[in-house]
Amino acid sequence: MLKKKFICLGLSMIMLFTSIINTPAAVTAGQYYKIKYTHNKKTVTKRAIDARYNNKVIKTNIPGYIEGSISMYSAYWIFGRCSSISTKYSYSSKTKKITLTRGSQKLVLTLNSTAATINGKKITLPSAPRKVYYPARKKNYIMVPGDAVAKNLQLNYAWNNRLLAGLITKKGSTSTQPTTATSNTSTTSTTLGSKTKITASASNYSIRIKKPSGLSASAVSCTDDYSNKRLRIIVNGNYKTFFSSASNRYIKESLTYNVSYSGGKTYIDLKTNVIKGFSVIQTSSYIYVKYADPKKMFYHVVVVDAGHGGKDSGAVGNGYSEKNMTLKIVQSIKSNFDKNSSYKVYYTRLSDWYPSLSYRYKMANEVSADRFLSVHINSSDSSSSKGTETLYKTYKSYAQTLQSFALTGMGYASNGSYNRGLKYRSDLAVLNGPKMTTALVELGFISNKTEASRINSRTSTIGYNLYKAICNSF
């Protein structure tokens, strides 16, 4: 009998241990995870977001995510299981109907359809409910548009970009909606790609723009067109006459306001004299925009420079040109920063044109950047010259961090012959001009056939490692 007890105890411990090790680690807001859509069988990577009720994170077995500009959440875990919200949830696999009831409000949604009803009245959702498979849990979940569901259930919903969370409160609390925003070509939310120290609100704004009746938040997006020192607000449809009317805007802080219409979209351009950081939010009635100096607006400001460009090809050799290689590497750096909202990053060029040397460092000074990186490829009269080096004038520790990661990106050992080390230079505009932590990395030699080919084949890896170097420098 004693032997059997020990066997049972041992089996119980094994089962408990197995259960523990098979429990998936929690995905927190900002981390990336995979899901599979059941309607089209596509597996996609999503960035996790939270839902909060009265500023407390609602526990769920699957994180929320952004679909276009719409926050999507588990219908059951957020709206059905959270007792504070007091909503009843049901789903019929036969009719594919999702029913959410709160008080006198009855919201009926249909899987994969934007058509829905609230108390029998037809409405259109900004995004269709989806059934997704979550590999980490090995289960299916039904995801619904959080903003629309909350409001139809007589709740407030507001997006907070700093927390990466939708804030749900009872009616009577302040409610705002997120505005989709774009920094150059990458889509982000209200803070245009980075966490902000200053957030626009109904009590803190530079300009307040009235919205036409019925204009949804999803119909409005933004682009931080910093090269032209402007914020561009893009509205689906022709609202030029409405937004041109002076009575529909209130400007508290100096800026140039211009409205145009083209290709089915209305463009509201807010131009400033120098580069500014922007925060944008919406309510059902207004668009609020707050701007300030980037360093005041954002926690970490970075400027990345792709060497040469346009009329200036830089070094050439073995069928390659420096300007093209540096651009590919910087585009890789950007693709990584686009996934990290802790940094606001400005780029001197993202296409094949030539910014003057003064343009490059003046941009960095104008935004009061914390870090400046200029990316280059080396060249020599000797085809045997090889290796990576980083140039600096003042900030040697930053240069050392870049050198270490650049070697990794190139696939070189830190103690090998390809490590050319740090080089002090006092004669370069991009090291003399910027008034912040600055360095220039020379990744390898375009004049060396083997190394030129190596750089060209590793632009993504090099870009990723330079991105990591900048992050680690903080």
Side-chain angles (χ1 to χ4, degrees):
M1 180 64 73
L2 183 62
K3 183 178 180 181
K4 286 184 178 180
K5 286 183 178 179
F6 274 113
I7 291 172
C8 290
L9 178 61
L11 287 172
S12 298
M13 292 298 290
I14 290 171
M15 291 174 67
L16 176 61
F17 179 73
T18 302
S19 174
I20 291 171
I21 63 174
N22 287 333
T23 301
V27 177
T28 58
Q31 293 182 325
Y32 289 83
Y33 69 104
K34 291 185 181 297
I35 59 170
K36 183 178 182 180
Y37 291 116
T38 60
H39 70 288
N40 61 12
K41 309 303 180 184
K42 287 185 177 180
T43 298
V44 295
T45 300
K46 293 291 186 180
R47 191 181 190 196
I49 62 172
D50 286 332
R52 296 184 175 220
Y53 183 78
N54 287 343
N55 211 30
K56 184 178 180 181
V57 174
I58 301 173
K59 292 183 179 179
T60 173
N61 276 3
I62 181 172
Y65 59 82
I66 299 293
E67 188 75 64
S69 61
I70 307 301
S71 50
M72 303 289 287
Y73 297 104
S74 166
Y76 169 72
W77 282 94
I78 300 301
F79 296 102
R81 198 172 187 274
C82 179
S83 59
S84 300
I85 293 178
S86 304
T87 299
K88 293 180 181 179
Y89 162 90
S90 66
Y91 172 69
S92 169
S93 57
K94 184 178 180 179
T95 63
K96 296 185 178 180
K97 300 287 186 184
I98 307 124
T99 303
L100 295 165
T101 306
R102 181 175 182 268
S104 61
Q105 300 299 108
K106 183 179 180 180
L107 178 62
V108 181
L109 309 90
T110 304
L111 208 61
N112 304 320
S113 173
T114 56
T117 63
I118 180 69
N119 295 334
K121 182 179 178 181
K122 292 181 180 180
I123 60 172
T124 301
L125 301 172
S127 185
R130 300 293 189 194
K131 181 183 285 188
V132 304
Y133 178 72
Y134 185 28
R137 293 277 181 183
K138 298 182 179 179
K139 289 183 179 180
N140 290 321
Y141 296 88
I142 293 172
M143 310 298 283
V144 295
D147 188 343
V149 169
K151 288 177 179 176
N152 279 290
L153 295 177
Q154 297 297 300
L155 295 162
N156 290 326
Y157 179 93
W159 176 255
N160 186 300
N161 196 71
R162 182 179 62 84
L163 299 174
L164 288 178
L167 309 183
I168 301 171
T169 57
K170 291 181 179 179
K171 285 290 185 181
S173 302
T174 302
S175 176
T176 57
Q177 301 177 24
T179 296
T180 302
T182 306
S183 178
N184 270 351
T185 58
S186 61
T187 302
T188 61
S189 54
T190 49
T191 54
L192 303 174
S194 182
K195 296 176 182 177
T196 56
K197 299 176 183 177
I198 303 171
T199 302
S201 68
S203 59
N204 183 30
Y205 60 87
S206 304
I207 180 172
R208 182 188 68 197
I209 304 170
K210 188 175 181 180
K211 292 171 62 176
S213 178
L215 183 66
S216 67
S218 60
V220 182
S221 60
C222 301
T223 298
D224 183 1
D225 184 14
Y226 55 80
S227 295
N228 291 305
K229 298 179 174 63
R230 69 181 180 182
L231 174 74
R232 168 161 277 194
I233 301 174
I234 307 163
V235 184
N236 295 337
N238 189 351
Y239 296 97
K240 182 179 178 181
T241 301
F242 181 90
F243 287 118
S244 294
S245 174
S247 63
N248 289 328
R249 63 180 182 270
Y250 176 56
I251 301 176
K252 292 174 67 175
E253 298 173 12
S254 177
L255 52 80
T256 301
Y257 181 96
N258 183 65
V259 181
S260 60
Y261 173 76
S262 176
K265 297 181 184 295
T266 303
Y267 297 92
I268 306 170
D269 291 328
L270 308 179
K271 188 171 177 60
T272 53
N273 293 327
V274 295
I275 296 174
K276 297 289 185 181
F278 295 94
S279 174
V280 186
I281 68 163
Q282 294 183 69
T283 65
S284 58
S285 301
Y286 294 100
I287 301 169
Y288 294 97
V289 180
K290 178 66 181 178
Y291 74 77
D293 293 339
K295 190 55 188 161
K296 292 180 180 178
M297 182 69 73
F298 305 110
Y299 290 97
H300 300 307
V301 180
V302 175
V303 172
V304 179
D305 171 45
H308 307 281
K311 64 182 182 181
D312 178 9
S313 63
V316 294
N318 296 299
Y320 302 105
S321 65
E322 183 178 5
K323 70 171 185 177
N324 293 335
M325 281 184 167
T326 60
L327 181 58
K328 287 181 180 179
I329 291 166
V330 168
Q331 288 171 335
S332 172
I333 294 173
K334 182 179 184 300
S335 70
N336 287 283
F337 271 120
D338 286 348
K339 302 170 188 175
N340 190 336
S341 63
S342 295
Y343 302 87
K344 175 63 177 179
V345 186
Y346 297 92
Y347 301 89
T348 59
R349 70 180 185 99
L350 287 168
S351 60
D352 186 18
W353 73 285
Y354 178 70
S356 68
L357 294 176
S358 61
Y359 174 94
R360 299 170 200 251
Y361 66 74
K362 284 180 179 178
M363 171 188 274
N365 292 336
E366 188 171 320
V367 300
S368 298
D370 300 298
R371 302 286 188 274
F372 179 91
L373 167 63
S374 190
V375 180
H376 286 259
I377 313 297
N378 223 332
S379 185
S380 170
D381 292 335
S382 171
S383 61
S384 62
S385 295
K386 63 182 181 180
T388 298
E389 63 188 31
T390 301
L391 314 182
Y392 75 99
K393 182 182 177 183
T394 308
Y395 302 97
K396 191 172 183 178
S397 61
Y398 176 53
Q400 184 59 63
T401 300
L402 285 167
Q403 176 72 2
S404 177
F405 279 91
L407 287 167
T408 301
M410 286 291 293
Y412 293 155
S414 60
N415 59 351
S417 60
Y418 287 94
N419 184 356
R420 295 171 62 91
L422 308 184
K423 303 292 174 64
Y424 175 82
R425 293 286 293 271
S426 60
D427 58 333
L428 300 176
V430 292
L431 295 181
N432 285 328
K435 300 174 182 177
M436 72 285 305
T437 304
T438 306
L440 184 155
V441 62
E442 296 273 14
L443 289 157
F445 284 78
I446 203 168
S447 49
N448 182 312
K449 184 176 181 179
T450 301
E451 198 160 55
S453 177
R454 187 183 191 86
I455 297 169
N456 188 63
S457 66
R458 296 176 68 89
T459 54
S460 293
T461 303
I462 294 167
Y464 172 69
N465 277 275
L466 293 179
Y467 152 78
K468 286 177 65 178
I470 294 171
C471 294
N472 273 267
S473 76
F474 284 93

